[in-house]
Amino acid sequence: MNVYRYEQNPLVTPADVKPHRADFEVIGAFNAGVTTYNGEIIMVLRVAERPISADPEIVKAPIYNPETNELEIFEFRLDDPAYDFSDPRVIRENGSTQGFKYLTSLSYLRIARSKDGHQFTIDDQPFVYPSNELEVFGIEDPRVTKIDDTYYIYFSAVSPVGVGESLVSTKDFITVEHHGMIFAPENKDVLIFPEKINGKYYALHRPVPKSVGEPEMWIAESTNLLYWGNHKYLLGLREGMWDSGRMGGGAVPIKTERGWLELYHGATTDHRYCMGAVLLDLEDPSKVIARSDKPILEPEADYEVDGFFGNVVFSCGAVVEGDVVKMYYGVADTSMACAELSLQEIIDSLTYIK
Amino acid sequence: MNVYRYEQNPLVTPADVKPHRADFEVIGAFNAGVTTYNGEIIMVLRVAERPISADPEIVKAPIYNPETNELEIFEFRLDDPAYDFSDPRVIRENGSTQGFKYLTSLSYLRIARSKDGHQFTIDDQPFVYPSNELEVFGIEDPRVTKIDDTYYIYFSAVSPVGVGESLVSTKDFITVEHHGMIFAPENKDVLIFPEKINGKYYALHRPVPKSVGEPEMWIAESTNLLYWGNHKYLLGLREGMWDSGRMGGGAVPIKTERGWLELYHGATTDHRYCMGAVLLDLEDPSKVIARSDKPILEPEADYEVDGFFGNVVFSCGAVVEGDVVKMYYGVADTSMACAELSLQEIIDSLTYIK
């Protein structure tokens, strides 16, 4: 697989983003949804900020209060025996090995714009910010599907009651309409197809069940993009492979002659995140045709290996021009990068099922 | 609270149900959805059957194979160190304290009919049986909502990829139309309201998130009963109370002058299941008006305390006649019982919010 990483990578870093409050610092500008608008490439960045802590023994957790519409800052001492601070992203109750009680940063959406896809200008203000009780811990990992003249932007809404997927829409990247939560907890990595297929909209989604089952990919259908049903299991983890631990949709599905090409992320159980691809039937996207036995992109560059949470390449969007797939992707839960791949090469690299 | 338990309780027991295969035994006839049809009270029973094991050292797990449309029987030795058999309902991988790998019984739906609501005649054959890859471990805990002349029956579909909620419909309790999975894993205890409210259908549901959040009640809306969205968090666990461990909807919401009355189940963390009630706003059922501080029904009778999984009362349906609520309920994951309560007394017993 020929992968051309841009010389300017990482294209956007936390240092490029002005904090939205003077007492906060930006620690991530990553996992951006990507689309084109008015001749520009638009990144809808996930920006993660945390309250500045003068005391290294104090960890702070920012919490959005939907009743006052203000952020509240909770403080924890690193030596507090009630909590586990070993994962820098989260605060866990001591003894619990998974999940979290609080997040150490607040994520929201912010726009970056580019004429050439390499040099981006970042808006001064947040674009979509937590605004209700389902977004108390922030909003994460947006994707953007353009249908007609409307851009549908959907993201993980994170709060103490769960992580689900919420939807907003815009026509101009200024005014935003809110459509509520479209996939109930626990769910992430929703990808809405860019057109109806035989009269129905489709979306990939990635539930995280508790009693039985794994974080794997499902597909659902809709007539209005707001209400979803006929959920079907689509694609599972593969023991011993690059997508053995968890997985989820990445970029908006790309229509090709051979099928719908989905660029998806997979991780091993030790959290090494790679990108691969799956090909779905054009007429019935609940049918899997072919799949990557090996990743099409792995964390190899310095900026992919090192960072806030290293060894991560995680795409939430791509721009396709002819055979060129410009895959934008978050690196190390820190910054944004881009790599160009050949659409044909990706398709040729897949292993066909049966 | 005056509770009149029927003298004939339990009304239906496993001994009353003929196994659907000669090599199986019925171990549960419980958690029935309830409705009325042609002047009769219909129970849509959850029947649980397990393969007869001649060797007490062998535990068997029945698995539906959607490709062959046959049951397969997996066998496990009780001394197999790979598995934990301490919960008679499930087989866990050793070391895992929650969830399950296999179930020890297969559940499906079967109909019981009664003229008087006390004496039931049970159909000879299954009514709805596992029929696809999302039902490999069985189907459980049906509820029935009648809208116009159609009965919508929905239940937990259980398989290795998760537990979600699937929907079928019937007009005659003979012919069944399948509508697929309406709530993706992990979800149970869906309750569809019996009429549109301001132009939309509503359903309660009970996700079980993994990373953050608890098994609590949510509400969603729909225009066609098949596709659901605008998920909102509705009702949570209460520390130290009867619903501190888990909870979920029970009977189809009952329309009263004061609001929609939902009879729901709550359990403590040591798995004592009780029934209580919550009152929701008539015009906007996402608003909670009042709630039971104490249960309206607790496991007290012998048949509620002792059984396959004791200390459980769990209602999936009620019939309301004037002020009389005939609450049918599963007891001890084994049998069906019924208790009559006064609608007015239930409403008067609630504690109003704020």
Side-chain angles (χ1 to χ4, degrees):
Chain A
M1 184 73 53
N2 291 300
V3 176
Y4 162 49
R5 287 174 168 87
Y6 287 1
E7 293 79 6
Q8 299 92 337
N9 280 351
L11 304 179
V12 173
T13 73
D16 301 326
V17 182
K18 190 182 152 201
H20 80 300
R21 283 168 54 137
D23 56 338
F24 274 53
E25 58 187 342
V26 176
I27 59 166
F30 62 121
N31 296 3
V34 177
T35 190
T36 55
Y37 172 67
N38 269 358
E40 291 186 315
I41 291 183
I42 300 273
M43 279 189 199
V44 179
L45 290 164
R46 169 181 172 187
V47 169
E49 296 192 26
R50 71 180 170 199
I52 295 169
S53 183
D55 181 346
E57 293 304 304
I58 300 280
V59 174
K60 296 182 176 180
I63 318 275
Y64 170 76
N65 182 331
E67 291 177 13
T68 60
N69 198 26
E70 300 279 348
L71 279 191
E72 294 173 5
I73 315 294
F74 289 15
E75 298 198 355
F76 302 84
R77 289 195 59 85
L78 273 181
D79 56 7
D80 186 337
Y83 296 102
D84 173 349
F85 303 96
S86 59
D87 183 332
R89 302 171 299 177
V90 301
I91 299 170
R92 291 197 176 97
E93 289 187 293
N94 227 335
S96 92
T97 55
Q98 58 189 23
F100 59 87
K101 185 77 177 171
Y102 300 101
L103 299 182
T104 54
S105 62
L106 183 92
S107 289
Y108 62 85
L109 310 187
R110 196 140 149 183
I111 291 174
R113 302 158 198 270
S114 175
K115 297 272 184 222
D116 64 4
H118 295 245
Q119 308 285 344
F120 282 83
T121 306
I122 300 158
D123 281 8
D124 276 342
Q125 297 297 323
F127 172 53
V128 181
Y129 195 79
S131 66
N132 62 62
E133 68 161 356
L134 301 179
E135 300 170 353
V136 160
F137 288 156
I139 60 183
E140 305 180 352
D141 300 351
R143 276 81 169 187
V144 187
T145 298
K146 186 185 182 196
I147 297 175
D148 302 327
D149 64 345
T150 302
Y151 295 83
Y152 294 90
I153 303 169
Y154 35 100
F155 47 79
S156 301
V158 186
S159 80
V161 298
V163 182
E165 190 88 359
S166 290
L167 175 71
V168 301
S169 66
T170 186
K171 290 179 193 290
D172 56 11
F173 289 93
I174 298 170
T175 308
V176 170
E177 189 177 352
H178 290 258
H179 304 288
M181 185 172 275
I182 54 173
F183 287 87
E186 183 163 337
N187 214 314
K188 283 186 174 180
D189 300 324
V190 170
L191 271 309
I192 297 176
F193 286 65
E195 61 184 68
K196 280 188 177 177
I197 301 164
N198 295 321
K200 286 175 187 158
Y201 294 110
Y202 286 85
L204 308 173
H205 60 103
R206 205 286 310 273
V208 186
K210 185 167 182 176
S211 302
V212 63
E214 300 287 346
E216 298 178 323
M217 284 168 68
W218 289 60
I219 189 166
E221 59 185 50
S222 174
T223 50
N224 66 0
L225 301 169
L226 307 182
Y227 305 147
W228 294 88
N230 201 12
H231 300 279
K232 292 180 181 173
Y233 177 79
L234 184 71
L235 204 67
L237 302 175
R238 295 180 294 185
E239 213 175 325
M241 295 180 74
W242 63 277
D243 47 7
S244 59
R246 52 199 304 124
M247 63 188 313
V252 173
I254 299 161
K255 193 175 189 178
T256 76
E257 287 183 3
R258 304 293 289 276
W260 290 99
L261 185 72
E262 171 62 15
L263 308 177
Y264 75 95
H265 68 266
T268 53
T269 47
D270 57 349
H271 309 298
R272 185 173 187 264
Y273 279 78
C274 297
M275 292 300 301
V278 61
L279 195 66
L280 307 174
D281 189 276
L282 267 187
E283 296 295 315
D284 176 3
S286 72
K287 288 187 186 157
V288 176
I289 298 173
R291 186 172 177 187
S292 296
D293 279 347
K294 293 183 178 169
I296 59 171
L297 185 74
E298 306 183 62
E300 290 170 335
D302 291 348
Y303 50 84
E304 296 163 354
V305 172
D306 301 319
F308 184 63
F309 195 79
N311 276 315
V312 173
V313 295
F314 189 99
S315 177
C316 295
V319 174
V320 181
E321 292 171 4
D323 184 56
V324 181
V325 177
K326 299 177 180 183
M327 185 166 71
Y328 288 86
Y329 59 103
V331 292
D333 277 13
T334 305
S335 301
M336 282 301 299
C338 185
E340 293 187 0
L341 298 91
S342 154
L343 186 57
Q344 194 59 52
E345 267 190 51
I346 296 172
I347 290 173
D348 290 346
S349 74
L350 302 177
T351 301
Y352 283 72
I353 312 289
K354 288 174 189 170
Chain B
M1 184 73 53
N2 291 300
V3 176
Y4 162 49
R5 288 174 167 87
Y6 287 1
E7 293 80 5
Q8 298 91 338
N9 280 351
L11 304 179
V12 173
T13 73
D16 301 325
V17 182
K18 190 183 152 198
H20 80 301
R21 283 167 55 136
D23 56 339
F24 275 53
E25 59 187 342
V26 175
I27 59 166
F30 62 121
N31 296 3
V34 177
T35 190
T36 55
Y37 172 69
N38 269 358
E40 290 186 316
I41 290 182
I42 300 272
M43 279 189 199
V44 179
L45 290 165
R46 169 181 172 187
V47 169
E49 295 192 27
R50 70 180 171 200
I52 295 168
S53 183
D55 181 346
E57 293 303 304
I58 299 280
V59 174
K60 296 182 176 179
I63 318 275
Y64 170 75
N65 183 332
E67 290 177 15
T68 61
N69 198 27
E70 301 278 348
L71 279 191
E72 294 174 4
I73 315 293
F74 289 16
E75 299 198 355
F76 302 85
R77 289 195 58 85
L78 274 180
D79 57 4
D80 186 337
Y83 296 102
D84 173 348
F85 302 96
S86 59
D87 183 331
R89 303 171 299 178
V90 300
I91 299 170
R92 292 198 175 95
E93 289 186 293
N94 228 335
S96 93
T97 55
Q98 59 188 23
F100 60 88
K101 184 77 177 172
Y102 300 101
L103 299 182
T104 54
S105 62
L106 182 91
S107 290
Y108 62 85
L109 309 187
R110 195 138 148 185
I111 291 174
R113 302 159 199 270
S114 175
K115 297 272 186 224
D116 64 4
H118 294 244
Q119 307 286 344
F120 281 83
T121 306
I122 300 158
D123 281 8
D124 276 342
Q125 297 297 323
F127 172 54
V128 182
Y129 196 79
S131 66
N132 62 61
E133 67 160 358
L134 301 180
E135 300 169 353
V136 160
F137 288 156
I139 59 183
E140 305 180 352
D141 300 351
R143 275 81 169 189
V144 187
T145 298
K146 186 186 182 196
I147 297 174
D148 301 329
D149 64 344
T150 302
Y151 294 83
Y152 293 90
I153 303 169
Y154 36 101
F155 47 78
S156 301
V158 186
S159 81
V161 298
V163 182
E165 191 88 0
S166 289
L167 175 72
V168 302
S169 64
T170 185
K171 290 180 193 290
D172 55 12
F173 289 93
I174 298 169
T175 308
V176 170
E177 189 177 350
H178 290 257
H179 304 289
M181 184 170 275
I182 54 173
F183 288 87
E186 183 163 340
N187 214 316
K188 283 186 173 181
D189 301 324
V190 170
L191 270 310
I192 297 176
F193 286 66
E195 60 184 68
K196 280 188 177 175
I197 302 164
N198 295 321
K200 286 174 188 160
Y201 293 111
Y202 285 86
L204 308 172
H205 60 104
R206 205 285 309 272
V208 186
K210 185 166 182 177
S211 302
V212 63
E214 300 287 345
E216 299 178 322
M217 285 168 67
W218 289 60
I219 189 166
E221 59 185 50
S222 175
T223 50
N224 65 359
L225 301 169
L226 307 181
Y227 305 147
W228 294 88
N230 201 13
H231 300 278
K232 291 179 181 173
Y233 176 80
L234 184 70
L235 204 66
L237 303 175
R238 295 180 295 184
E239 212 174 325
M241 295 180 74
W242 63 277
D243 47 7
S244 58
R246 52 198 304 126
M247 63 188 311
V252 173
I254 299 162
K255 193 176 189 178
T256 77
E257 288 183 2
R258 304 293 290 276
W260 289 99
L261 186 71
E262 171 63 15
L263 308 176
Y264 75 94
H265 68 266
T268 53
T269 48
D270 57 348
H271 309 297
R272 185 172 186 265
Y273 279 77
C274 297
M275 292 300 301
V278 61
L279 195 66
L280 307 174
D281 189 277
L282 268 186
E283 295 296 315
D284 177 3
S286 72
K287 288 187 186 157
V288 176
I289 297 173
R291 186 171 177 187
S292 295
D293 278 347
K294 293 182 177 167
I296 60 171
L297 185 75
E298 307 183 62
E300 289 170 335
D302 291 349
Y303 50 84
E304 296 163 354
V305 172
D306 301 320
F308 184 64
F309 194 79
N311 276 315
V312 173
V313 295
F314 188 99
S315 177
C316 294
V319 174
V320 181
E321 291 172 2
D323 184 56
V324 180
V325 178
K326 299 179 179 181
M327 185 166 71
Y328 289 86
Y329 60 103
V331 293
D333 277 13
T334 305
S335 301
M336 281 302 298
C338 185
E340 293 187 359
L341 298 92
S342 154
L343 186 58
Q344 193 60 52
E345 266 190 50
I346 295 173
I347 291 173
D348 290 345
S349 75
L350 303 177
T351 301
Y352 283 71
I353 312 290
K354 286 176 190 171

